Amino acid sequence: MYQLQTIEEQKASYLAYIKHQNAQMSAQIKSSGNMVCESMLLVCVEQFNSNELFITLASIKAQHLPFSNVIFWCKNTDEKNLNHFLPKHCDFEFVVTSDLVGDARLNKEKTKASFVVYSGDKLDSYLTFALTTNINLDTHLAYFDTDKLSNEREREYPDFKPDWNPDLQLTAGYINSGLWVKTLADFAYGCGTLSAFNVARYMVFCYLNNLPLTIQHIPLVMLSRSSNLVSFANAKAFLEPLYNKVAEIDNSNDLPTLSLRWHLDYKPLVSIIIPTCNAKELVRACIDSILNKSTYTNYEILLVDNNSDDSESLRYFNQLSEHPKITLLTYNKPFNYSAINNFAAKQANGEVLALVNNDIEVITPDWLTNMVSHVMRDDIGCVGAKLLYSDNRIQHAGVVIGYGGGAGHGHKYFPSDHFGYMNRLIATQNYSAVTAACLLIKVKDFWAVGGLNAKKLAIAFNDVDLCLKVRELGKRNLYCAEAVLYHHESVSRGHEDTPEKVKRFNAELAYLQTTWADVIAADPAYNPNLTLKRENFAIKSFR
C-alpha cells in the first residue's frame, strides 16, 4: 500500500531527530575544550531584504564558535544599503563586496575555507562546531542536510540528502546552499554571477569540468532554508550555457526539476533480451509496444524461449522470429534468470544490452532514446527506468540497498504522478542499483564484471549484484525518470511459496548480505537518517 508519512508523523519524527541531534552536539561541545572555527562565512545577498537578513544575522550571532570572518556578497546596487544596514546589527567583523573575484580586499581571504549560504538562511547554532569537528583533511567540498523554515520560522520538512550524487545535482540542484569550500577562490571562479543558484551551479561546474575533488556529505541538519524558495526549474537560463556542451534541456514539462537528454555521437545498436516461458499475451504486449511505440529504432530483440510448452505460445514465437528485428533463441535448461541472460548476451550483436522482462510494456515512446543517451556516457554503468504497476503506482524508481536487510525499491506504491521525497521520483539521478526488469548496460561493462552471477544468484538480487559490481569499475548507476514503462509484475512473477523457493531465496539474500555488507550498512544514494523498514523515505525512529 501507499506509505507516505502523514504530516503529523513527519513532524513528530523530525522533532525527535532534532532533539537527538542537539543532545549529541551539546555533549560533544562540552567535552571538546577550547576550539576555534577557522572557516569564514560567505553570505550571498541576491536581493537586499532586511527581514531575511535579520534571520541570518541572528543565527550567526548564536554560533557556539564564531566564524573567523563574514563576507556579504551583493549586487553593486545593494552595496550602499548593506554598508548602511550591517554596522547597526552586527557585532562581528565583516566585509561587503559586489565583486567576489576582483575585490583586492579579499585577496588573503580567498585562500581560506568558507561556508556559503544565502541571506534568509538560518544557521544551526552548532554549525561552526560541526564544521570544525567533521570536515576531513582531504575534503575539498562538504555539505550538510537542510530543512525548511515555515512562515512562522519553525523548522520542518528536512531534506536528508544522499552522498555526492552528480546526476541529482544536474536535474534537481539538491545542493543549493550550505556548501563548505576549502578555498573561497575556487568557488568565486566557478560560481558565476550572483544569483539564487550559485551553489547549485558551482557543483554542476565541478562535475562537468571533471575536477578531481573529494566531496563530503555530513548527514546533520545544519541549515534551515525558506519554504518559498524559487524552483530549480528557474535555473535553466543560468545553467544552460554549461549544459549545452553535453545535453539538451527538455522544455516540454513544467516540473520543478530539469530533464536532460545527453548528446549522442552516434546511435549504437541495442540488443533487447526478453526471456520467457510461454506467456504469449504478455510477450505480445511487450514486443508490440517496443516495435510500435519506440522512437529509437537501432535495436534488435532476442526473445529467449525457456522451456515453453504451450502450443499457441510456441507458434507465436516462431512467427515473431520471421520479423527482421527479432531473433528467437532456445534455452532448454531449468530456469535461471542470470544464466538465461548471460546465454543471450553472448549471442547479442549490439554495443548495448537491454535486459527486459516479458511483462514490460512501453509507455513513453522516447524511453530507449533517453536511456541510451545516459548509458553511453563514460562514467555511467547501469541505467534503469521508472516502472509502474498496472494500476499506475510506482513499482521501481531506483533500488535502495539496505531495505529489509537486503534491497528494495524506493517510493514503491507511490502514485505515478507523485514528485517523491526531495523530488526524487521525477529527477534522473544516481542510485547504487536499478532493477533488471528494464536495465541498459554497455556490453563491455557487462562482461568486465562477468555478467550476471548464475551460480549464486539464479533468481533474486542478481541485478543488484550486477549494479554493485559495475559500481566498483568506477561507474555510477542511474535511474532515468524520463523512461516510463509498465511492469505487470503481479501477472508473471512467482512467489516464494514453497520450502525449496524459500531456501533458495534465503541463500541468495545471505550471499548479498555477505558480499555487499558495506553498501547495505550505508547506501551512499540514501541517508542514514531515513528508515530501512519501509520503502517510503520516512525518517527513522529517534525515540
Side-chain angles (χ1 to χ4, degrees):
M1 61 181 293
Y2 178 41
Q3 296 179 322
L4 185 65
Q5 278 186 312
T6 66
I7 293 176
E8 290 74 18
E9 287 174 326
Q10 288 177 345
K11 186 174 292 187
S13 296
Y14 191 50
L15 288 175
Y17 164 78
I18 290 295
K19 185 177 180 181
H20 168 82
Q21 174 180 285
N22 288 347
Q24 294 281 91
M25 300 297 288
S26 179
Q28 291 176 32
I29 202 167
K30 286 178 182 177
S31 62
S32 63
N34 296 322
M35 299 187 69
V36 176
C37 178
E38 297 182 354
S39 295
M40 302 185 302
L41 180 68
L42 174 65
V43 181
C44 304
V45 186
E46 189 204 3
Q47 187 171 2
F48 178 78
N49 181 307
S50 59
N51 291 329
E52 290 181 350
L53 267 174
F54 277 129
I55 294 172
T56 304
L57 293 177
S59 66
I60 296 172
K61 296 173 185 177
Q63 293 300 302
H64 290 282
L65 301 174
F67 285 101
S68 65
N69 198 359
V70 180
I71 299 170
F72 292 89
W73 180 29
C74 65
K75 296 175 181 175
N76 54 17
T77 53
D78 284 328
E79 198 166 357
K80 182 178 179 180
N81 290 331
L82 275 175
N83 277 316
H84 177 74
F85 174 86
L86 290 173
K88 300 177 181 178
H89 303 286
C90 294
D91 56 0
F92 49 81
E93 292 186 13
F94 65 87
V95 175
V96 176
T97 184
S98 59
D99 185 1
L100 197 60
V101 175
D103 194 329
R105 294 175 301 164
L106 303 180
N107 286 346
K108 184 182 293 186
E109 304 299 329
K110 283 192 290 187
T111 63
K112 300 177 182 178
S114 185
F115 190 71
V116 184
V117 300
Y118 282 86
S119 176
D121 290 346
K122 182 179 180 181
L123 287 55
D124 187 274
S125 60
Y126 291 102
L127 169 63
T128 46
F129 178 73
L131 287 170
T132 305
T133 56
N134 285 280
I135 303 292
N136 297 329
L137 290 176
D138 63 344
T139 295
H140 298 96
L141 303 173
Y143 63 96
F144 293 96
D145 294 336
T146 61
D147 62 15
K148 304 288 194 305
L149 269 185
S150 71
N151 291 334
E152 293 74 32
R153 299 186 184 179
E154 293 182 359
R155 300 174 71 166
E156 57 183 7
Y157 304 121
D159 283 348
F160 285 129
K161 307 175 191 289
D163 288 351
W164 174 228
N165 192 314
D167 283 281
L168 186 60
Q169 187 64 32
L170 291 168
T171 58
Y174 79 104
I175 305 171
N176 48 37
S177 188
L179 177 69
W180 180 88
V181 293
K182 195 164 191 173
T183 61
L184 180 58
D186 290 338
F187 177 77
Y189 173 73
C191 70
T193 57
L194 182 60
S195 84
F197 305 108
N198 288 115
V199 169
R201 184 191 189 280
Y202 180 67
M203 300 306 292
V204 168
F205 171 86
C206 291
Y207 168 70
L208 293 180
N209 285 278
N210 198 28
L211 300 184
L213 302 174
T214 298
I215 302 174
Q216 182 184 356
H217 167 224
I218 303 168
L220 299 169
V221 177
M222 286 288 134
L223 192 71
S224 300
R225 308 215 67 204
S226 169
S227 57
N228 300 316
L229 293 175
V230 178
S231 167
F232 184 67
N234 290 51
K236 176 179 174 292
F238 189 56
L239 296 176
E240 202 160 28
L242 284 177
Y243 288 1
N244 280 343
K245 300 174 185 177
V246 296
E248 174 188 351
I249 300 178
D250 180 8
N251 295 312
S252 64
N253 64 55
D254 56 356
L255 298 175
T257 52
L258 298 178
S259 295
L260 305 177
R261 180 176 295 165
W262 288 66
H263 302 320
L264 283 170
D265 295 331
Y266 62 97
K267 293 183 177 180
L269 177 65
V270 180
S271 297
I272 302 175
I273 299 172
I274 307 174
T276 192
C277 175
N278 298 317
K280 170 189 171 184
E281 294 308 320
L282 281 178
V283 173
R284 185 194 300 276
C286 176
I287 290 184
D288 282 356
S289 71
I290 293 172
L291 293 174
N292 297 329
K293 291 185 179 179
S294 302
T295 55
Y296 190 95
T297 58
N298 193 23
Y299 63 84
E300 63 173 356
I301 296 175
L302 305 180
L303 180 65
V304 191
D305 175 19
N306 178 216
N307 297 322
S308 294
D309 55 11
D310 174 65
S311 59
E312 287 194 16
S313 294
L314 289 168
R315 190 178 304 112
Y316 173 62
F317 298 161
N318 284 323
Q319 291 173 0
L320 286 177
S321 68
E322 298 175 4
H323 193 286
K325 282 187 173 291
I326 302 174
T327 300
L328 179 64
L329 303 176
T330 301
Y331 185 87
N332 289 326
K333 298 178 183 179
F335 177 71
N336 179 317
Y337 179 85
S338 297
I340 291 171
N341 280 282
N342 290 346
F343 162 78
K346 290 176 182 175
Q347 301 178 66
N349 297 306
E351 186 178 348
V352 175
L353 298 177
L355 309 185
V356 175
N357 281 15
N358 67 349
D359 53 355
I360 289 291
E361 185 177 348
V362 174
I363 297 175
T364 54
D366 286 342
W367 72 283
L368 194 51
T369 302
N370 285 314
M371 294 180 77
V372 170
S373 80
H374 286 294
V375 81
M376 293 305 292
R377 294 162 59 189
D378 291 338
D379 53 347
I380 296 298
C382 301
V383 177
K386 177 185 285 187
L387 303 181
L388 310 181
Y389 287 111
S390 305
D391 63 1
N392 288 313
R393 291 181 300 163
I394 296 293
Q395 190 269 334
H396 169 267
V399 172
V400 174
I401 315 300
Y403 276 149
H409 295 181
H411 294 110
K412 192 173 184 178
Y413 303 127
F414 275 48
S416 61
D417 59 354
H418 200 284
F419 287 2
Y421 184 74
M422 285 176 55
N423 290 327
R424 292 189 69 171
L425 263 176
I426 58 172
T428 290
Q429 65 200 269
N430 306 119
Y431 273 93
S432 294
V434 291
T435 181
C438 182
L439 180 153
L440 266 63
I441 181 173
K442 290 185 281 288
V443 168
K444 64 179 182 180
D445 289 342
F446 186 79
W447 292 121
V449 299
L452 293 163
N453 189 334
K455 292 183 178 180
K456 297 291 186 179
L457 300 172
I459 299 177
F461 303 118
N462 38 51
D463 47 4
V464 176
D465 180 70
L466 173 70
C467 289
L468 295 180
K469 289 188 296 186
V470 168
R471 204 173 69 117
E472 291 198 327
L473 297 176
K475 310 272 185 170
R476 297 191 323 282
N477 299 314
L478 180 137
Y479 154 65
C480 179
E482 292 78 27
V484 188
L485 307 93
Y486 282 118
H487 183 197
H488 304 294
E489 184 183 47
S490 60
V491 177
S492 66
R493 183 175 179 176
H495 298 285
E496 316 295 351
D497 54 4
T498 67
E500 293 78 12
K501 288 183 178 180
V502 170
K503 182 179 179 181
R504 185 265 312 154
F505 176 83
N506 287 337
E508 291 175 333
L509 175 59
Y511 178 85
L512 183 80
Q513 291 173 330
T514 302
T515 307
W516 303 108
D518 57 333
V519 191
I520 289 174
D523 184 346
Y526 202 51
N527 186 294
N529 297 310
L530 297 173
T531 184
L532 292 173
K533 294 181 179 179
R534 293 189 289 176
E535 297 167 305
N536 64 351
F537 286 80
I539 302 170
K540 76 178 186 182
S541 176
F542 285 92
R543 299 173 189 174

